[in-house]
Amino acid sequence: MISDLLSGAGGSETWSERLGPGAIVLRGFATAQAANIVAEIQQIIAQAPFRHMETPGGFRMSVAMSNCGELGWVTDKAGYRYQAVDPDSARPWPSLPTLFRQLATEAAAQAGFANFMPDACLINRYEPGARMSLHQDKDERDLTQPIVSISLGLPAQFQFGGLKRSDPVSRVTLTHGDVVVWGGADRLRYHGVLALKTGDHPLLGACRLNLTFRKAV
Ligand code: MD6
Ligand code: FE
């Protein structure tokens, strides 16, 4: 794995690991801001609580979700989509905190994607046993825009496959503060998260949080 030194949020040192031509892990990029990110998430979920959504096939997702930004990703029996209104409250999603916007734009720029302007942030909460099966992120309109993902709390085994579901899958451990950016030729690669192992993280306890920033429209 090629590893390069670069500067993380607030000028701290981080390492990057390339997963593909358009995909990179920025190790510890968000660590210095983790407590501030968690404080923002607490305010968001006070307005738009975590909930277990239902897949179009009728399964309850093991990951609990919320959103902030102009648009939120939702799933129910009608399908997957982005919408401006939280279906649970019928109110707009909480706005995207300035800190989130700055981190996402800065991480994307470090990965070679200039001027990334997310309009949606999906917040995922994993408790022990929660997992996400292999999927592609393809509900966004402009696939030239990357996705930026911030991981906090307990470590997770991230699966990174190819453009076909049946392609071989590699595993990457994502730990507290790691940021993944992917786009370009890697934008539609299949990926997932193996069942979270139990543990006790100093900031988040028995929990992993993942934020994914997207340009949905
Ligand atoms: C997760 N992440 O890490 C789930 N999708 O909990 C994703 O599904 C994801 O991390 C697209 C881009 C980055 C991601
Ligand atoms: Fe995804």
Side-chain angles (χ1 to χ4, degrees):
M1 179 101 44
I2 296 168
S3 193
D4 280 317
L5 190 63
L6 50 73
S7 114
S12 56
E13 279 185 356
T14 59
W15 282 262
S16 65
E17 294 170 13
R18 188 157 285 287
L19 300 178
I24 198 164
V25 187
L26 307 173
R27 293 288 180 197
F29 186 87
T31 309
Q33 291 295 336
N36 294 326
I37 298 169
V38 171
E40 295 283 8
I41 293 172
Q42 278 162 347
Q43 293 202 33
I44 290 162
I45 60 160
Q47 301 166 66
F50 283 119
R51 80 290 305 263
H52 294 271
M53 296 187 196
E54 200 177 333
T55 65
F59 294 99
R60 174 188 189 265
M61 295 187 79
S62 60
V63 176
M65 297 179 168
S66 184
N67 289 279
C68 61
E70 288 155 61
L71 292 164
W73 185 88
V74 298
T75 173
D76 59 21
K77 285 204 175 72
Y80 305 124
R81 62 193 175 277
Y82 284 96
Q83 63 178 50
V85 163
D86 176 350
D88 281 11
S89 67
R91 286 182 310 194
W93 297 104
S95 58
L96 193 67
T98 303
L99 170 65
F100 287 15
R101 191 181 303 276
Q102 285 172 347
L103 284 169
T105 302
E106 204 183 319
Q110 290 277 10
F113 299 96
N115 303 313
F116 176 53
M117 298 291 194
D119 55 18
C121 172
L122 172 64
I123 307 170
N124 290 153
R125 185 191 67 194
Y126 294 72
E127 288 178 327
R131 57 188 286 277
M132 191 167 302
S133 52
L134 278 183
H135 67 278
Q136 291 173 298
D137 286 32
K138 57 179 183 187
D139 300 323
E140 302 75 29
R141 195 167 294 165
D142 181 359
L143 297 176
T144 70
Q145 295 301 302
I147 293 183
V148 174
S149 149
I150 300 180
S151 293
L152 297 171
L154 291 180
Q157 293 291 322
F158 195 74
Q159 300 175 290
F160 201 54
L163 295 174
K164 295 195 305 266
R165 190 183 291 276
S166 56
D167 285 341
V169 169
S170 52
R171 282 188 195 175
V172 183
T173 305
L174 295 182
T175 62
H176 184 68
D178 289 349
V179 174
V180 183
V181 181
W182 83 61
D186 295 315
R187 180 63 176 71
L188 289 177
R189 284 175 69 171
Y190 276 88
H191 56 280
V193 179
L194 297 182
L196 192 78
K197 293 215 170 96
T198 193
D200 185 17
H201 187 271
L203 188 60
L204 290 170
C207 173
R208 169 179 186 251
L209 296 174
N210 176 263
L211 294 85
T212 47
F213 296 91
R214 299 112 187 281
K215 174 107 181 69
V217 295

